[in-house]
Amino acid sequence: MKRNVLIIGAGGVAQVVAHKCAQNNDILGDLHIASRTKSKCDAILQTVADKAAMKQDGVFKSHSVDAMDSAAVAALIRQTGAQIVINVGTAFVNMTVLDACIETGAAYIDTAIHEDPEKICETPPWYGNYEWKKRDLCAEKGVTAILGAGFDPGVVNAFARYAIDTYMDDVTSIDIVDINAGSHGKYFATNFDPEINFREFTGTVYYWEDQKWKETSMFASGREWDLPVVGKQKAYQSGHDEVHSLAANYPKADVRFWMGFGDHYINVFTVLQNLGLLSEQPVTTAEGLEVVPLKVVKACLPDPSSLAPDYTGKTCIGDLVKGTRDGAPVEVFVYNVADHAEAYAEVGSQGISYTAGVPPVAAAMLVATGEWDAKAMKNVEELDPKPFFTLLDKMGLPTRVEVNGTDTAWNA
Amino acid sequence: MKRNVLIIGAGGVAQVVAHKCAQNNDILGDLHIASRTKSKCDAILQTVADKAAMKQDGVFKSHSVDAMDSAAVAALIRQTGAQIVINVGTAFVNMTVLDACIETGAAYIDTAIHEDPEKICETPPWYGNYEWKKRDLCAEKGVTAILGAGFDPGVVNAFARYAIDTYMDDVTSIDIVDINAGSHGKYFATNFDPEINFREFTGTVYYWEDQKWKETSMFASGREWDLPVVGKQKAYQSGHDEVHSLAANYPKADVRFWMGFGDHYINVFTVLQNLGLLSEQPVTTAEGLEVVPLKVVKACLPDPSSLAPDYTGKTCIGDLVKGTRDGAPVEVFVYNVADHAEAYAEVGSQGISYTAGVPPVAAAMLVATGEWDAKAMKNVEELDPKPFFTLLDKMGLPTRVEVNGTDTAWNA
């Protein structure tokens, strides 16, 4: 049993996390949110107040912290009495926040793999480069650390575990498909911070097949999927965090990740990349100013959080898992469909932030109740998926399963 | 009779001007080249030496000058004894260089309309906003100023004058078509300074029809042309300097300018413009750095002068002039075809710089011999085109005419 939550970060996902924590503060206790810029936290707290999101009277305070400074994070954990830290800051702060949790004994939850700002798409396994190096220390100290507990990675890891446990003796492949069939009405925009968003696509795409790492490049490997609700959609193999942990936990299965992209997105991306405008290496203008082109592109694009009010349509994210039972082939699609406008109505965010922000709060609630308080470092597929799905059903992200042409709720 | 030339500027066009002046220094006398960065002038002089371009022994010296400082330019004119100034610096320095010529009595020649860095595509007539305001002063002081003496504007103005004088009683339309059917082998590049190049296409497109100014937008009005040598090519109405002077001199004719663009160019341009990356208004990055996006795009694109060695293919630039003679309709296409690789072999520049740089030297030679020493401000269509064509024929840019399906040299 753990109580009191400290949220690190104040972006679009943090806003969803804040609302969902507020809606469940009877279980989670005191709430705190901290980022480098306190005013961003205050803006989020204002939306929480506007929606009267707090389930019961309680604490929800904002703080300023430099999350790259582990000692400062540890001090804030002690000051707030937080026993659970939900880290939805930039991917660059994972290790310093994790260290602060190990130092103080607080549970750690994040939604994305650690990144070094100087490196993009490192050689797999990425988790092995940073987080997993702390696995023994977490076990030794009894610190709970749940890695990648957003939607993808996160819920999709639980989808894979559930499909395998429920329907198969052996798994042969896990294909994760992420389709955003929504429309933000802008010429072009990214749904997350463009710096992080584009980084996912500028390096080599790694996937796990025939029990080894294989490589392709972005947009080189695409296929059309026909999915529930969103219909036929083109998706392309991309590198993604969960490929690395699922490949480690299910090494005999092929593990691939597919991200949906429209032709327009690919065209804009291709132009920008070919011109060198997605580069993180500075260029020098004729006037002698040193500038990182990607940072200028980011400044020109719409702020992802500004997209929410006009976002319409749905997302479909799921796992096509193949395997055998009693020697016969089995094929299961476990998935969720979320709606942009419903997300905005509830928490003031678009559907992409919503799907990323709700799951870590569910994970925090399972740590609070003890069901996921593993006292060790875990990726989501290493934890029981059922209580997770049960909470997500109630929190706005219901899990559905399609087996042999029959589509039902996971627990129907 | 005037002698001794001062070239202002040290870009790709200036290099062609330098070579052509050197090849004709028996007529032009002492040669000087000046820009803000003297080392750029020295690099050009080195290529002149490498090609042994000087027709006879003579002076060719480099200088440093801030061409925005009219007094400094006047001092340099006096110091060098130049009686002819060829201004191929940025379009921002026209008025300061022209003022220096008026002050010293030197003849002034340029290749592009004056631009205010703060304004793009001003309301026509552009010449009326700046250069033509000095027309009376030039006449009063007997100063020769030849405006827009590159290819377009420049030779195409002479094409129009020639077609009308030779074949028509009345002119009804002048359509100028500029096709670059060459290939630089890069993913994307501009043939001139990207800042100037894109500025041409980001504003309203003005054209003269039915004796009034009309407006369209870039890439909104396109048609396929079938031209000599380069064949079928798509071109789009663009704003261009010569439309303004030709409309003033031939107010009863429709005057339009058509620039050839491939689908790939249009796609890249459209993406950049829609994202705001062609903006001259600064944006602020997340880190607080103020940057003009267009300057970053420029820094990422290939330096236009770097394209020359691998440039292949041809340009075709011409005027389709329609009118009547003895009441019957007449249609004449006056044009030139230039070759990128030949230009590089001769002067170390690509064909676009070549077509822009050769004509002002021909104009300077006509000022030197007295034929174009008008002692007044003139646009090229106000001068006799025949000696101009005669020189251009010898200098690498022969004029051809297509009338009633028959294609010949202009003086055949």
Side-chain angles (χ1 to χ4, degrees), chain A residues 264-324:
Chain A
H264 174 64
Y265 185 103
I266 294 173
N267 180 46
V268 171
F269 177 86
T270 304
V271 166
L272 293 177
Q273 189 174 30
N274 277 311
L275 294 182
L277 285 163
L278 301 184
S279 172
E280 297 173 280
Q281 300 303 318
V283 295
T284 305
T285 68
E287 294 73 22
L289 191 65
E290 268 216 346
V291 199
V292 173
L294 178 54
K295 291 185 186 296
V296 178
V297 170
K298 174 176 168 174
C300 287
L301 293 181
D303 180 339
S305 68
S306 74
L307 305 174
D310 300 315
Y311 225 127
T312 57
K314 294 178 192 295
T315 63
C316 176
I317 314 176
D319 293 23
L320 178 65
V321 186
K322 296 185 183 179
T324 57

Side-chain angles (χ1 to χ4, degrees), chain B residues 318-336:
Chain B
D319 293 23
L320 178 65
V321 185
K322 296 185 184 179
T324 57
R325 165 140 293 177
D326 302 327
V330 187
E331 191 172 315
V332 184
F333 188 62
V334 191
Y335 71 97
N336 165 263

Side-chain angles (χ1 to χ4, degrees), chain A residues 187 267 274-275 287 295, chain B residues 187 267 274-275 287 295 300:
Chain A
Y187 174 76
N267 180 46
N274 277 311
L275 294 182
E287 294 73 22
K295 291 185 186 296
Chain B
Y187 173 77
N267 180 47
N274 276 311
L275 294 183
E287 294 73 21
K295 292 185 184 295
C300 287

Side-chain angles (χ1 to χ4, degrees), chain A residues 41-344:
Chain A
C41 299
D42 291 330
I44 288 176
L45 290 193
Q46 186 58 54
T47 70
V48 169
D50 292 346
K51 297 268 184 193
M54 296 285 272
K55 183 164 185 182
Q56 62 184 39
D57 278 351
V59 169
F60 205 156
K61 282 190 186 156
S62 62
H63 307 266
S64 170
V65 74
D66 174 3
M68 299 288 275
D69 178 352
S70 196
V73 177
L76 186 60
I77 290 171
R78 289 194 178 101
Q79 180 200 322
T80 55
Q83 294 180 306
I84 302 171
V85 174
I86 301 178
N87 171 25
V88 283
T90 85
F92 306 144
V93 305
N94 282 15
M95 297 314 292
T96 45
V97 175
L98 175 58
D99 284 345
C101 289
I102 293 171
E103 166 72 21
T104 58
Y108 172 85
I109 299 168
D110 70 24
T111 64
I113 218 158
H114 183 76
E115 284 192 61
D116 182 324
E118 303 300 316
K119 299 173 188 166
I120 317 167
C121 281
E122 299 177 63
T123 308
W126 298 335
Y127 279 117
N129 294 338
Y130 301 103
E131 284 89 343
W132 288 349
K133 289 181 176 167
K134 302 278 182 172
R135 195 149 45 179
D136 289 348
L137 189 60
C138 283
E140 186 188 310
K141 296 213 168 192
V143 170
T144 297
I146 304 178
L147 305 180
F151 207 100
D152 45 337
V155 179
V156 298
N157 304 49
F159 285 169
R161 163 81 180 264
Y162 176 76
I164 295 163
D165 285 2
T166 311
Y167 296 98
M168 300 171 194
D169 304 322
D170 291 298
V171 56
T172 52
S173 67
I174 303 167
D175 284 285
I176 301 152
V177 195
D178 180 335
I179 300 290
N180 174 16
S183 168
H184 47 57
K186 309 276 183 191
Y187 174 76
F188 185 84
T190 56
N191 293 302
F192 284 117
D193 180 349
E195 264 187 277
I196 301 296
N197 200 259
F198 287 130
R199 286 165 72 100
E200 287 195 351
F201 314 135
T202 44
T204 304
V205 172
Y206 292 100
Y207 60 102
W208 183 255
E209 228 173 54
D210 306 326
Q211 304 195 43
K212 57 178 180 283
W213 289 112
K214 295 189 178 179
E215 300 181 9
T216 181
S217 58
M218 197 60 209
F219 304 124
S221 167
R223 54 165 281 202
E224 192 179 73
W225 295 79
D226 192 359
L227 301 182
V229 184
V230 299
K232 288 187 179 172
Q233 300 281 347
K234 191 95 187 263
Y236 297 82
Q237 262 195 268
S238 319
H240 230 242
D241 309 5
E242 56 271 38
V243 174
H244 299 264
S245 67
L246 288 168
N249 282 307
Y250 300 101
K252 291 184 181 172
D254 296 340
V255 186
R256 292 168 292 247
F257 180 88
W258 305 80
M259 179 75 89
F261 291 99
D263 291 343
H264 174 64
Y265 185 103
I266 294 173
N267 180 46
V268 171
F269 177 86
T270 304
V271 166
L272 293 177
Q273 189 174 30
N274 277 311
L275 294 182
L277 285 163
L278 301 184
S279 172
E280 297 173 280
Q281 300 303 318
V283 295
T284 305
T285 68
E287 294 73 22
L289 191 65
E290 268 216 346
V291 199
V292 173
L294 178 54
K295 291 185 186 296
V296 178
V297 170
K298 174 176 168 174
C300 287
L301 293 181
D303 180 339
S305 68
S306 74
L307 305 174
D310 300 315
Y311 225 127
T312 57
K314 294 178 192 295
T315 63
C316 176
I317 314 176
D319 293 23
L320 178 65
V321 186
K322 296 185 183 179
T324 57
R325 165 139 293 177
D326 303 327
V330 188
E331 192 172 315
V332 184
F333 187 63
V334 192
Y335 72 97
N336 165 263
V337 169
D339 183 277
H340 288 288
E342 286 174 16
Y344 184 67

